[in-house]
Amino acid sequence: MPASGALPDLTQAGPLLHAASAETRAGLLRHARLLVLPPGAMVVAQGAEVEALHLLVEGSLGLRVADDGGATTLVEILRPGEAMAIGAVMLRVPCAVTATTLVPSRLLAIPAEEVRAATARDTRLMRAAMEQMAREWRLMLDQVVDLKTRDATQRTARFLVRRLAAPQGPVEMPEPRIAIAARLGMTPESLSRALHGLEAAGLLRLRGRRVDVPDRAALLRAAGSG
Amino acid sequence: MPASGALPDLTQAGPLLHAASAETRAGLLRHARLLVLPPGAMVVAQGAEVEALHLLVEGSLGLRVADDGGATTLVEILRPGEAMAIGAVMLRVPCAVTATTLVPSRLLAIPAEEVRAATARDTRLMRAAMEQMAREWRLMLDQVVDLKTRDATQRTARFLVRRLAAPQGPVEMPEPRIAIAARLGMTPESLSRALHGLEAAGLLRLRGRRVDVPDRAALLRAAGSG
């Protein structure tokens, strides 16, 4: 057990470990470290070998890409329960993104070779790894559809709806606004206009780093999903 | 062997089958059918179970998504050598996209259960399946970066560069312009303006369904990649 603290409740660590047999899970957790990180900490660098599978337990992780043409942007924000770069872990290939904490965060780091060995032994864990890869592809696919078919206000509304579990209530937006704007493919000014426009339409109330949504269905309609 | 013709040269069927052992590959090919399809033929429907792994041997396959919000768009165009929906095959989950031929096409269809059985036996094929999933994710990631950071002309130039293998030469664009425009996240009118703008700048010559590129490096610079 590392000095950085007791391992957290595993229900927060997402579906990947839960798919493994109890024996596999226990074996992986014996090798796991808990990382307690401030905002702005780099977890994995694009182009580097990935030494550990990272499971986000608390906080937010921003994934950035600098492509071969020199363009750099934030492509995704991971939230608790999600795994980071399972494909690079499984395939031993350089990581395609740079992952940086956007807020204070806690991650479980499991050595990549332990993960590879466990998936080779445990077919349920192997399946879960492929499910995670399929899920990451699907998130990118959804974002491509969003970027091609929805305007800034619709994308903002959709982002909020996805973070809202209940029919109404608060949506936490602890990340820097510039990161959320980049995730949504817009400038911070456009994000601000979109949020204030939705507030003026009675669809939300801005409360600093929190947004209150009185009616999820109405916000969904504003997202072009009515 | 099906009535639709002899199996094609497997070097055209992409890296997936090549990764398998000779025995695995021969076993899969015994179950393969060659599909010879006209333009507009639906290969897989979104939401349906995927009964076969499809390897594109010749032609173009458009992948469309209708999302839960009712938005529909073309997210990707597959070219020869690429595999279709390996994730859905491996995981037995409904296909996330509708795949339709954009031009006359030939595909190898290998029954999904044969593919799953073969990957369970052949670790090299399993690795190749994961590599294919990682590659599909990467293509979506690249598209997200493109959509967020590049304008219509830059995206058009980048699309052409990717289809151009040599430092100069022709780029085939056999697909309907409306499909290419959707792939690039723009209207056909914007695509036309971008192409004519690049031609006016001396970076390409339009020849109907073919574009001649005199200088790949110069076009790359126009793509914001100089």
Side-chain angles (χ1 to χ4, degrees):
Chain A
M1 200 59 50
S4 43
L7 289 182
D9 178 3
L10 283 176
T11 56
Q12 297 169 293
L16 198 61
L17 284 189
H18 281 278
S21 69
E23 185 189 343
T24 301
R25 193 164 55 241
L28 288 175
L29 288 175
R30 269 196 298 278
H31 296 95
R33 287 183 305 140
L34 181 66
L35 307 178
V36 181
L37 300 174
M42 188 184 292
V43 177
V44 181
Q46 184 180 343
E49 197 186 337
V50 180
E51 291 170 10
L53 175 66
H54 291 93
L55 303 173
L56 185 59
V57 177
E58 190 184 317
S60 277
L61 209 53
L63 308 187
R64 284 190 178 78
V65 170
D67 77 8
D68 55 6
T72 299
T73 190
L74 188 143
V75 289
E76 192 53 280
I77 297 176
L78 297 188
R79 299 284 290 161
E82 301 202 65
M84 162 71 206
I86 182 75
V89 167
M90 296 299 296
L91 295 166
R92 298 190 77 154
V93 294
C95 194
V97 299
T98 294
T100 312
T101 55
L102 298 174
V103 299
S105 299
R106 295 195 303 158
L107 297 98
L108 266 188
I110 306 175
E113 55 193 276
E114 302 293 337
V115 175
R116 287 190 292 266
T119 49
R121 283 192 311 267
D122 185 331
T123 55
R124 287 197 302 170
L125 185 62
M126 175 63 99
R127 183 185 163 87
M130 292 192 114
E131 284 172 343
Q132 175 67 28
M133 290 180 74
R135 178 174 147 72
E136 290 174 10
W137 175 72
R138 184 58 200 252
L139 285 172
M140 283 296 132
L141 190 72
D142 289 347
Q143 202 174 144
V144 166
V145 176
D146 250 22
L147 288 164
K148 286 185 179 176
T149 66
R150 294 188 170 91
D151 66 22
T153 299
Q154 291 173 323
R155 295 204 298 274
T156 301
R158 202 164 162 85
F159 180 82
L160 293 171
V161 166
R162 285 182 181 175
R163 286 206 172 180
L164 181 66
Q168 62 178 78
V171 175
E172 304 296 333
M173 300 220 291
E175 300 89 355
R177 282 289 159 91
I178 194 170
I180 295 174
R183 161 62 181 80
L184 292 171
M186 59 186 77
T187 61
E189 294 71 27
S190 295
L191 175 59
S192 182
R193 269 196 302 275
L195 287 169
H196 284 99
L198 290 166
E199 186 174 47
L203 295 166
L204 53 81
R205 283 184 297 273
L206 300 171
R207 301 265 186 266
R209 301 244 176 238
R210 174 178 290 185
V211 174
D212 287 324
V213 176
D215 183 349
R216 183 178 187 274
L219 188 57
L220 251 182
R221 281 194 292 278
S225 313
Chain B
M1 200 60 49
S4 44
L7 288 181
D9 177 3
L10 283 175
T11 56
Q12 298 170 292
L16 197 61
L17 284 189
H18 281 278
S21 69
E23 186 190 343
T24 300
R25 192 164 55 239
L28 288 174
L29 288 175
R30 269 196 297 277
H31 296 95
R33 287 182 305 139
L34 181 65
L35 306 178
V36 180
L37 300 174
M42 188 185 291
V43 176
V44 181
Q46 183 179 344
E49 196 186 338
V50 180
E51 292 169 9
L53 175 66
H54 291 93
L55 304 173
L56 185 58
V57 177
E58 191 185 316
S60 277
L61 209 53
L63 308 186
R64 285 191 177 76
V65 170
D67 77 7
D68 54 7
T72 299
T73 189
L74 188 144
V75 290
E76 191 53 279
I77 297 176
L78 298 188
R79 300 283 288 160
E82 301 202 65
M84 161 72 207
I86 182 75
V89 167
M90 295 300 296
L91 296 166
R92 298 189 76 153
V93 294
C95 195
V97 299
T98 294
T100 312
T101 54
L102 299 174
V103 299
S105 300
R106 296 195 303 158
L107 298 97
L108 266 188
I110 306 174
E113 54 193 275
E114 301 293 336
V115 175
R116 289 189 290 267
T119 50
R121 284 192 310 267
D122 185 332
T123 54
R124 287 196 302 169
L125 185 61
M126 175 64 99
R127 181 186 165 87
M130 291 192 114
E131 284 172 343
Q132 177 67 28
M133 290 179 75
R135 177 175 148 73
E136 290 175 9
W137 174 73
R138 184 57 201 254
L139 285 172
M140 282 297 132
L141 189 74
D142 288 348
Q143 202 173 147
V144 166
V145 175
D146 250 24
L147 288 165
K148 286 184 179 175
T149 66
R150 295 189 168 90
D151 66 22
T153 299
Q154 291 174 323
R155 295 204 297 275
T156 301
R158 202 165 163 83
F159 180 82
L160 294 171
V161 166
R162 284 181 181 176
R163 288 206 170 181
L164 181 66
Q168 63 179 75
V171 176
E172 303 296 333
M173 300 220 291
E175 300 89 356
R177 282 290 158 91
I178 195 169
I180 295 174
R183 160 63 181 79
L184 293 172
M186 60 186 75
T187 61
E189 294 71 27
S190 295
L191 174 58
S192 183
R193 269 195 302 276
L195 286 170
H196 283 99
L198 290 166
E199 186 175 46
L203 295 167
L204 53 80
R205 283 185 297 273
L206 299 171
R207 301 264 186 268
R209 301 242 176 239
R210 172 178 291 185
V211 174
D212 287 325
V213 175
D215 182 351
R216 184 178 186 273
L219 188 58
L220 251 182
R221 282 193 292 278
S225 314

